[in-house]
Amino acid sequence: MKLKLAFLVATALVAAPSLLMAQEKGGVINVATIGEPPTLDPMTSTADLVGIVTQHIFETLYTFDKTWNVTPLLAESLPEVSDDGKTYTIKLRSDIKFHDGSDMASDDVAASLNRWTKLASRGKQAAGFIESISAADPSTVVIKLKQPYAPLASLLAFNNSAAIIIPAEKQADTMTDFIGTGPYMLKERKADQYIQLARFDGYKARSGESDGYGGARKQYLDEIRFVPVPDANTRVEAAVSGQYDYIDSLPVESFDKLKASTATQPLMLKPFGYPVFVFNTAEGVAKDVEVRKAIRQALNMEDMLAAAFGSTDFYALDGNIYPEPYAWATDIGAEGNYNVADPEGAAEAAKAAGYDGKPVRILTSRQYEFHYKMAQVAAEYLKLAGFQVDMQVVDWATLTQRRADKALWDIYITHSPFLPEPALIGSLSPSSPGWWDTPVRKEAVDAFSAESDPKKRVELWAKVQKAVYDEVPFMKIGDFNAVSAMSTKLQGVDPAPWPYFWNASIKK
């Protein structure tokens, strides 16, 4: 399904880049991230921070090109799909080596995909449709489905809860050896200090030019260091001073300050995605759908966005999960249910639903400062509606751990880029924290996932959005643009939702 919005149209380099010079090998770059990733096993986490780091170490069969189409990575070509849509035959590239020097073969791929369906939330999402995954010969893997499942290739391409390929003998549930096929390999990790990656000299890049996350992945840099810098203001000052080569996730109010710096240039990804409040539908106060609706009724999305992003240069009020001009854009379900901002009516609705005064536990982090600002505004509106509020502010790694425990929270705050395939939205899976698992969800999501006709899928997606508004497993707050920054000495880095540094080099 092609999107109307292309990768590099949706992501704009705001500061005018200097003319590209010939790229040379060598050098080390330091990348400031919002914190320490909770794991380096990307199968077991949906945290963007995990994907940003580990996409350099591990690779998947497919990835996305600059127009968000699925494109081969470790696979030789796109899958050959049988006429009934139930058999995917995947040919593998030859002479691919793991970081330990062993050759990648189909048994590694089949074992990895089976691990993915067992451990990864997105793998579990696909598992119900999968009958078997097997190695047909050393260079061919066959996936047999119980019924057609249109999102499969996109799920295999995604770097979040990723279907990474690792050696067959390294398939333990808890990963201890971080061995992939990527252009860089893990050299050293010092908790809360840095994650150091070194060039893998045995890497075999695809031929041709780079193309979004696809195409050739060129290894100019000797090393990449990811450094956790949890405080947003510290990241801003480090960007202005040129302390780091790339600085991720900066407050939008720093944009003018970054533009004035001679050491760095700001990057704005427009539109980047949407902040989202995810409800715990399994336990606690938010288990009752009528309470969830009352919470939504109380909230003023515009005030939350204004507090988080300041100027409408950086946000837009929009209840549609996908905005125009995405092919998936629809307003079905949103009308009358988005940005209601009626705490008095919400108080009545909560009382009618039997709300008993237990605190609404909001789980958030200041490492993404805009999450915290939205939580503060939400708390005040909820108090006006008669809700008790327990705001739990933790670091991002702790949040990703706590959200896996149904007993610990009622709402957690996160955000998502606009994903190329709606089935990639984690909260649509009943195994994702939030645990939305109702007959309404199953009917809408399964019908959407089984349909292969693009036009029919657009119509079926509208029914999924309606189910989201009817049952409120999560709330989209609005659209926002994201700000990062990079050194004026760094070249070959395209703005992207999950920044990557193959193809990057340092100007000599």
Side-chain angles (χ1 to χ4, degrees):
M1 176 78 199
K2 289 187 177 181
L3 295 179
K4 297 176 185 175
L5 199 62
F7 184 102
L8 293 181
V9 172
T11 59
L13 178 61
V14 174
S18 56
L19 294 175
L20 284 181
M21 302 166 65
Q23 291 180 264
E24 299 180 24
K25 275 196 170 186
V28 177
I29 66 166
N30 292 285
V31 178
T33 65
I34 62 102
E36 178 80 5
T39 179
L40 291 183
D41 180 356
M43 275 197 197
T44 61
S45 177
T46 58
D48 287 344
L49 179 57
V50 174
I52 288 170
V53 175
T54 61
Q55 64 187 337
H56 299 82
I57 304 170
F58 304 103
E59 294 182 312
T60 47
L61 292 173
Y62 302 100
T63 188
F64 295 103
D65 66 18
K66 65 184 178 183
T67 55
W68 287 112
N69 290 312
V70 174
T71 190
L73 185 54
L74 290 176
E76 182 62 41
S77 56
L78 292 175
E80 180 184 314
V81 184
S82 61
D83 290 341
D84 64 3
K86 294 197 290 187
T87 301
Y88 282 57
T89 302
I90 300 171
K91 294 290 186 181
L92 306 177
R93 292 169 61 202
S94 60
D95 301 324
I96 300 296
K97 291 194 177 295
F98 289 110
H99 297 157
D100 63 2
S102 62
D103 293 317
M104 184 192 78
S106 59
D107 59 336
D108 302 302
V109 175
S112 298
L113 296 184
N114 279 306
R115 181 179 187 266
W116 178 67
T117 61
K118 175 185 173 185
L119 297 181
S121 62
R122 300 187 193 283
K124 293 175 184 177
Q125 184 178 337
F129 295 87
I130 294 174
E131 183 176 292
S132 65
I133 302 170
S134 60
D137 62 47
S139 62
T140 308
V141 172
V142 175
I143 303 175
K144 290 188 177 294
L145 304 178
K146 300 171 185 175
Q147 66 185 73
Y149 186 56
L152 181 59
S154 292
L155 285 167
L156 293 174
F158 201 28
N159 75 346
N160 180 292
S161 189
I164 58 167
I165 306 305
I166 56 179
E169 64 274 14
K170 303 289 185 182
Q171 300 290 327
D173 288 0
T174 301
M175 184 181 288
T176 55
D177 295 323
F178 301 91
I179 296 172
T181 61
Y184 289 85
M185 55 187 181
L186 181 64
K187 182 176 180 180
E188 185 177 20
R189 180 183 188 181
K190 287 197 173 182
D192 299 316
Q193 294 186 50
Y194 59 81
I195 296 168
Q196 185 178 12
L197 308 185
R199 183 194 294 117
F200 173 42
D201 290 330
Y203 183 68
K204 183 179 180 182
R206 294 192 72 92
S207 59
E209 296 301 313
S210 60
D211 185 4
Y213 293 94
R217 294 182 169 185
K218 299 172 183 177
Q219 303 167 282
Y220 296 111
L221 299 169
D222 294 333
E223 293 184 0
I224 306 167
R225 285 191 179 209
F226 293 92
V227 182
V229 185
D231 183 74
N233 291 327
T234 302
R235 290 199 301 278
V236 171
E237 294 306 318
V240 171
S241 68
Q243 182 178 352
Y244 296 98
D245 299 285
Y246 189 96
I247 307 91
D248 194 30
S249 190
L250 295 170
V252 295
E253 59 266 26
S254 67
F255 190 79
D256 288 341
K257 191 173 185 178
L258 294 168
K259 282 175 65 177
S261 170
T262 57
T264 62
Q265 55 186 348
L267 303 173
M268 184 162 69
L269 285 73
K270 181 180 181 178
F272 174 82
Y274 56 100
V276 60
F277 283 26
V278 179
F279 285 104
N280 181 347
T281 69
E283 292 184 14
V285 172
K287 181 178 180 180
D288 188 328
V289 66
E290 296 304 322
V291 172
R292 299 199 297 271
K293 288 180 179 178
I295 290 172
R296 181 179 66 193
Q297 184 177 349
L299 297 181
N300 187 315
M301 309 303 191
E302 188 166 15
D303 282 359
M304 286 193 283
L305 290 167
F309 302 108
S311 167
T312 52
D313 289 343
F314 301 103
Y315 75 85
L317 197 65
D318 182 11
N320 303 339
I321 295 176
Y322 282 88
E324 295 287 353
Y326 283 86
W328 306 108
T330 176
D331 60 3
I332 291 177
E335 187 175 356
N337 292 314
Y338 173 74
N339 194 37
V340 180
D342 178 16
E344 290 184 2
E348 295 177 7
K351 184 178 179 180
Y355 171 64
D356 61 4
K358 288 182 180 176
V360 177
R361 297 163 297 175
I362 300 177
L363 188 58
T364 190
S365 171
R366 296 199 71 164
Q367 283 165 264
Y368 293 108
E369 186 70 12
F370 67 98
H371 290 188
Y372 175 70
K373 290 178 178 178
M374 288 188 298
Q376 287 181 304
V377 175
E380 294 308 310
Y381 273 95
L382 291 177
K383 290 173 187 175
L384 289 174
F387 287 98
Q388 297 296 314
V389 178
D390 175 13
M391 188 115 90
Q392 301 180 3
V393 184
V394 298
D395 63 85
W396 188 248
T398 300
L399 185 148
T400 62
Q401 292 168 351
R402 284 193 186 180
R403 70 183 179 187
D405 189 332
K406 297 175 183 178
L408 295 182
W409 60 278
D410 300 301
I411 297 171
Y412 83 82
I413 300 176
T414 185
H415 64 272
S416 173
F418 294 113
L419 301 172
E421 160 61 60
L424 297 173
I425 297 172
S427 294
L428 299 183
S429 170
S431 65
S432 181
W435 305 283
W436 183 34
D437 191 8
T438 66
V440 169
R441 183 215 68 85
K442 182 172 176 57
E443 180 180 357
V445 174
D446 284 4
F448 172 71
S449 298
E451 181 56 61
S452 58
D453 181 87
K455 290 184 179 178
K456 291 180 181 177
R457 294 194 81 221
V458 169
E459 295 170 3
L460 289 167
W461 168 247
K463 294 182 178 180
V464 175
Q465 180 169 293
K466 184 177 186 303
V468 170
Y469 270 98
D470 287 347
E471 297 203 333
V472 208
F474 61 88
M475 297 181 300
K476 177 187 174 183
I477 308 305
D479 302 335
F480 79 102
N481 307 331
V483 174
S484 298
M486 74 174 187
S487 166
T488 54
K489 296 180 181 179
L490 190 62
Q491 62 180 357
V493 178
D494 291 324
W498 305 280
Y500 53 90
F501 303 99
W502 58 83
N503 302 336
S505 64
I506 300 169
K507 298 174 189 175
K508 302 297 182 182

